[in-house]
Amino acid sequence: MRIIMLGAPGAGKGTMSALMEKKYGIVQISTGDILRAEVKEGTSLGRKAADYMNRGDLVPDEIILGMMKNRLQKKDCSKGFILDGFPRTIAQAESLDGIMKDLGIRLDGVINLEVPQDLLIRRLTSRRTCSNSSCQAVFNIHTMPPKKEGVCDKCGSQIIQRDDEKEDVIRKRLATYDEKTAPLIDYYSGSDVFFSVPCIVADEAMDKIVERFKGL
Ligand code: AMP
């Protein structure tokens, strides 16, 4: 199964992708997670990407495309994948079409997660992330707080508010989404694998997705 998750920052792409990874046994590929790991390790790619990320801008297409071309050819993608946060521009979507054509594979689903803007802002500003780059567990101070304040339930590291999850950067990320990523809805909406799902409650969104993929 090969899936693209579309949706604004905070729509729940990461949460839904993780649920689908578990249910269908296919790998979740999050460009945001890959980039954050590169930044943390201080690689040359990470150094190039960090400023864009901290400002709430997109990392340039050529950096992302080189990275994803390699990633999609790794062995763990052979059974399928869920793309979380990629593509994010029309140019990336066109390149993905080319990469998939070269690999002789097709998409089975493009899932557009729909969430009202005020809920996106509330979700993003209340998000906290484990500072350990190999854990990166996500918490929410309202709906899913850690058992002990400031400490990751999974690995015991400190949990933090990411620089790109502070309010001014969040507003910029949402504006970037409207300008550069929302046009992907039109790009894919003519395809029979495209569908939209309200993502207010994750389990309910997941039920709708599972129903849609029955028989695949
Ligand atoms: P995310 O965790 O998916 O919201 O990604 C965090 C940040 O990484 C974004 O705000 C962008 O700066 C960058 N990023 C992630 N995926 C992409 C992409 N496909 N194209 C460009 N920039 C990206």
Side-chain angles (χ1 to χ4, degrees), residues 9 13 30-33 35-36 52-53 56-61 64 84-88 92 127 162 164 173:
K13 298 187 295 298
S30 156
T31 41
D33 285 350
L35 290 166
R36 280 185 287 278
Y52 297 98
M53 296 171 75
D57 274 333
L58 293 183
V59 174
D61 286 340
I64 300 290
D84 160 13
F86 175 86
R88 245 171 159 115
Q92 290 182 16
R127 198 140 95 172
R162 282 174 14 198
D164 68 344
R173 286 169 66 200

Side-chain angles (χ1 to χ4, degrees), residues 37-102:
E38 298 274 348
V39 171
K40 182 107 189 173
E41 283 165 31
T43 63
S44 79
L45 193 155
R47 285 196 301 276
K48 282 183 204 148
D51 281 348
Y52 297 98
M53 296 171 75
N54 290 338
R55 283 199 304 265
D57 274 333
L58 293 183
V59 174
D61 286 340
E62 57 276 17
I63 297 181
I64 300 290
L65 288 169
M67 191 176 97
M68 287 306 283
K69 211 168 186 171
N70 288 334
R71 185 64 191 89
L72 291 172
Q73 294 181 56
K74 294 231 165 108
K75 207 168 156 221
D76 62 350
C77 292
S78 60
K79 276 197 286 178
F81 47 74
I82 308 153
L83 299 181
D84 160 13
F86 175 86
R88 245 171 159 115
T89 62
I90 298 282
Q92 290 182 16
E94 287 171 348
S95 295
L96 177 64
D97 288 345
I99 295 170
M100 292 190 70
K101 203 168 164 209
D102 289 347

Side-chain angles (χ1 to χ4, degrees), residues 6-169:
L6 288 182
K13 298 187 295 298
T15 305
M16 299 312 298
S17 300
L19 290 173
M20 292 186 67
E21 179 174 50
K22 214 162 159 194
K23 165 101 187 151
Y24 296 109
I26 49 177
V27 65
Q28 168 189 8
I29 302 176
S30 156
T31 41
D33 285 350
I34 298 173
L35 290 166
R36 280 185 287 278
E38 298 274 348
V39 171
K40 182 107 189 173
E41 283 165 31
T43 63
S44 79
L45 193 155
R47 285 196 301 276
K48 282 183 204 148
D51 281 348
Y52 297 98
M53 296 171 75
N54 290 338
R55 283 199 304 265
D57 274 333
L58 293 183
V59 174
D61 286 340
E62 57 276 17
I63 297 181
I64 300 290
L65 288 169
M67 191 176 97
M68 287 306 283
K69 211 168 186 171
N70 288 334
R71 185 64 191 89
L72 291 172
Q73 294 181 56
K74 294 231 165 108
K75 207 168 156 221
D76 62 350
C77 292
S78 60
K79 276 197 286 178
F81 47 74
I82 308 153
L83 299 181
D84 160 13
F86 175 86
R88 245 171 159 115
T89 62
I90 298 282
Q92 290 182 16
E94 287 171 348
S95 295
L96 177 64
D97 288 345
I99 295 170
M100 292 190 70
K101 203 168 164 209
D102 289 347
L103 295 174
I105 54 180
R106 300 172 74 101
L107 287 171
D108 298 294
V110 178
I111 306 172
N112 178 41
L113 301 177
E114 294 180 318
V115 177
Q117 174 109 350
D118 54 344
L119 183 54
L120 293 174
I121 292 175
R122 187 179 145 85
R123 276 185 189 167
L124 288 167
T125 51
S126 56
R127 198 140 95 172
R128 300 292 180 272
T129 307
C130 176
S131 58
N132 172 0
S133 61
S134 56
C135 174
Q136 289 191 357
V138 175
F139 300 89
N140 183 297
I141 53 175
H142 302 304
T143 57
M144 207 181 34
K147 291 195 189 87
K148 189 172 166 206
E149 200 184 325
V151 178
C152 177
D153 291 351
K154 291 193 182 153
C155 75
S157 301
Q158 191 194 1
I159 62 166
I160 52 162
Q161 184 171 34
R162 282 174 14 198
D163 283 346
D164 68 344
E165 289 183 339
K166 309 227 159 105
E167 182 143 358
D168 53 335
V169 181

